[in-house]
Amino acid sequence: MLDYECYKGPEDRKLDTESCGKIVLRNKNLGLEQYRFLLQTITNSGIGEETYGPKNIIEGKEDSPSLEDALSEIDDIMFSTLDKLFERTGISPSEIDILIVNVSLFAPAPSLTARVVNRYKMRHDIKAFNLSGMGCSASVVAVDLVQHLFKSYKKAFAVVVSTESIGPNWYCGKEKSMILSNCLFRSGGCSMLLTNNRALKHRAILKLNHSLRTHLGANDEAYRCCIQVEDDLGYVGFLLTRGLTRNASQALSMNLRELLPKVLPLWELLRCVFKSITRNRNKCFTEAIGAILNLKAGVDHFCIHPGGKAVIDGIGKSLGLTDYDLEPARMALHRFGNTSAGGLWYVLGYMEAKKRLKKGDRILMISLGAGFKCNNCVWEVLRDLKDVNVWKDSIDHYPPPKAPVNPFLEKYSWINDEYLRFVKLQ
């Protein structure tokens, strides 16, 4: 990897407590039960007040998004990050051999890759791929695809753009399991430049050592635990079921069972074998990792998808990670929210801005997404990294001091008042 560029929205697109409240109250399908659920969810979400939302949501057009709204949202993220990426690296768009764009919930024709090719007047022989429906783990899928393509194309440049279409996919119904996505997902994305030209190794920041993809789509429960559906009122949204946690754990377990032997030294694997003999063999592999494996023997940093507080805490507990290890994911979630496939790169950016990444360090990227999929990879840091990147204006304020009262709870705690059960909310 030569460089990456994360998206940062304008100030007028920030979703603070007040603007979030206005958006929620505009939905006339919601009642007291849903309001209380939303308050509890956002209070415990780990998301702060400086995340970014799509323009059509900010302007109150979430119930009638247009094609122009969807294209405008994606164009802003793709082109602003690509412009900066090409400028920073000095690589011309005409030099790009492979282009991959992944946006799960928006697939117009011509494709988004065609839109990028047209904007930058790229070569006629460029290998363009448009990935849709791949969920939050699509970014690692794209990197893995590049790795395989590099086996056929030598001394090539590849660009990967990872983002999500939030505006046209805002849920306007009242089902709790579908409202959840409105609380977590925010605008964001990232563009990356990769190469297999060894002559440019001195310019590279990261080297991909391992990549492994696990897919549980053959299992009906796993397939349906995170899925786009239509509710009884005809509103389309993303359904997150109670089986999500269980299937995420299973996918992660299966992936790490195959990936870790490639990452950890032999002596640590042998120690794990001897130690596991005395432990409960009925335990899930991920539940046992933190107790019997020292992941620090082969991994220095953990770049976890900031999908939500429960996701981060659950992975941390399973792998026996410390608060220091989980800090980058928690802070990325707090500052930028769940930006879907682009989320991992905000976590990486935090590590770099905090000057944690030193030459020779190894980074384990963990991503989970609809399908259900677990796609992980291991990067090696090729030189000391210290660019403050997208965190430039906020890194000195992180980790933030813990507020005595959550701002959402402070402003809307009245929703939990018992007397409201007898009042009809308009």
Side-chain angles (χ1 to χ4, degrees):
M1 178 175 288
L2 294 178
D3 210 343
Y4 65 100
E5 183 70 38
C6 291
Y7 173 79
K8 184 179 179 183
E11 289 295 312
D12 62 358
R13 299 255 295 278
K14 282 187 175 180
L15 289 173
D16 57 13
T17 304
E18 185 174 353
S19 57
C20 286
K22 290 179 179 178
I23 293 172
V24 170
L25 293 173
R26 282 202 300 261
N27 187 346
K28 301 306 179 182
N29 291 311
L30 303 182
L32 181 60
E33 182 182 357
Q34 287 81 20
Y35 287 146
R36 287 176 172 173
F37 171 77
L38 284 169
L39 179 61
Q40 181 183 18
T41 300
I42 195 66
T43 300
N44 297 324
S45 68
I47 294 177
E49 295 194 272
E50 294 193 310
T51 59
Y52 303 100
K55 186 177 180 181
N56 72 301
I57 304 297
I58 301 294
E59 295 178 348
K61 299 189 295 180
E62 62 268 22
D63 58 345
S64 56
S66 65
L67 177 60
E68 183 180 353
D69 290 331
L71 290 171
S72 176
E73 178 189 1
I74 295 299
D75 284 352
D76 182 32
I77 297 173
M78 289 198 308
F79 298 149
S80 65
T81 56
L82 285 172
D83 286 348
K84 293 175 183 176
L85 185 67
F86 290 135
E87 181 181 1
R88 275 162 53 108
T89 60
I91 302 298
S92 168
S94 63
E95 297 179 76
I96 303 304
D97 303 284
I98 299 167
L99 172 65
I100 302 175
V101 176
N102 61 259
V103 177
S104 289
L105 301 177
F106 184 50
S111 68
L112 294 174
T113 48
R115 204 169 178 82
V116 174
V117 171
N118 178 261
R119 161 75 178 240
Y120 294 101
K121 308 307 176 187
M122 292 174 163
R123 299 198 318 262
H124 70 279
D125 62 344
I126 189 169
K127 305 301 180 288
F129 300 85
N130 199 89
L131 307 182
S132 63
M134 302 300 283
C136 296
S137 63
S139 195
V140 177
V141 173
V143 169
D144 183 69
L145 177 56
V146 169
Q147 181 189 35
H148 284 82
L149 290 170
F150 274 169
K151 295 176 182 178
S152 300
Y153 301 97
K154 307 302 179 184
K155 297 183 178 180
F157 285 112
V159 163
V160 172
V161 182
S162 291
T163 183
E164 189 53 276
S165 175
I166 305 296
N169 296 287
W170 192 264
Y171 177 62
C172 297
K174 63 179 182 179
E175 296 297 324
K176 292 181 182 178
S177 54
M178 297 171 73
I179 295 175
L180 191 59
S181 61
N182 288 359
C183 295
L184 299 176
F185 287 98
R186 298 290 188 269
S187 293
C190 181
S191 292
M192 298 143 262
L193 178 62
L194 304 105
T195 185
N196 60 348
N197 188 342
R198 292 183 180 275
L200 296 176
K201 185 177 179 180
H202 67 286
R203 294 184 54 185
I205 59 174
L206 301 172
K207 181 179 75 170
L208 185 65
N209 285 346
H210 306 284
S211 179
L212 185 67
R213 294 163 57 181
T214 301
H215 204 307
L216 301 185
N219 180 286
D220 289 344
E221 184 188 63
Y223 174 77
R224 298 181 183 280
C225 72
C226 184
I227 188 171
Q228 190 176 29
V229 297
E230 187 175 85
D231 70 10
D232 294 339
L233 297 177
Y235 293 104
V236 176
F238 225 74
L239 175 68
L240 305 176
T241 72
R242 294 182 181 275
L244 177 61
T245 303
R246 179 171 57 257
N247 287 286
S249 178
Q250 182 182 357
L252 178 61
S253 175
M254 292 175 65
N255 187 284
L256 293 181
R257 190 184 295 273
E258 188 174 344
L259 180 63
L260 290 182
K262 302 176 183 179
V263 177
L264 298 178
L266 179 60
W267 57 264
E268 177 60 28
L269 296 174
L270 291 174
R271 191 185 69 83
C272 169
V273 172
F274 289 121
K275 196 169 183 180
S276 63
I277 294 175
T278 61
R279 292 193 169 263
N280 184 359
R281 295 183 180 181
N282 293 323
K283 274 193 173 183
C284 170
F285 182 68
T286 47
E287 293 178 348
I289 287 178
I292 64 178
L293 265 181
N294 175 23
L295 296 183
K296 300 293 181 66
V299 178
D300 301 287
H301 307 282
F302 299 85
C303 189
I304 302 170
H305 168 59
K309 184 176 182 295
V311 172
I312 298 170
D313 292 348
I315 292 176
K317 182 179 179 180
S318 296
L319 303 186
L321 304 183
T322 65
D323 286 339
Y324 177 84
D325 298 324
L326 300 178
E327 180 183 304
R330 286 170 173 166
M331 297 307 103
L333 177 66
H334 185 275
R335 176 62 182 84
F336 296 99
N338 180 350
T339 54
S340 189
L344 285 170
W345 309 101
Y346 291 94
V347 181
L348 182 70
Y350 182 89
M351 295 177 183
E352 183 175 1
K354 284 292 186 181
K355 301 178 181 179
R356 291 188 177 193
L357 304 179
K358 307 299 180 183
K359 183 178 180 179
D361 285 357
R362 292 145 301 182
I363 306 167
L364 172 60
M365 276 192 170
I366 300 176
S367 66
L368 301 163
F372 192 87
K373 300 183 291 294
C374 177
N375 303 314
N376 300 337
C377 63
V378 178
W379 298 92
E380 180 183 341
V381 182
L382 297 182
R383 53 188 167 92
D384 292 357
L385 303 179
K386 53 184 177 181
D387 186 358
V388 290
N389 53 76
V390 74
W391 288 89
K392 180 179 179 180
D393 299 327
S394 53
I395 193 62
D396 292 335
H397 307 300
Y398 278 83
K402 187 174 182 179
V405 181
N406 182 281
F408 290 95
L409 193 60
E410 184 176 28
K411 188 174 182 64
Y412 297 106
S413 60
W414 54 269
I415 289 176
N416 290 322
D417 288 349
E418 193 64 26
Y419 75 86
L420 287 178
R421 289 191 301 125
F422 307 102
V423 177
K424 183 178 181 180
L425 298 178
Q426 300 292 332

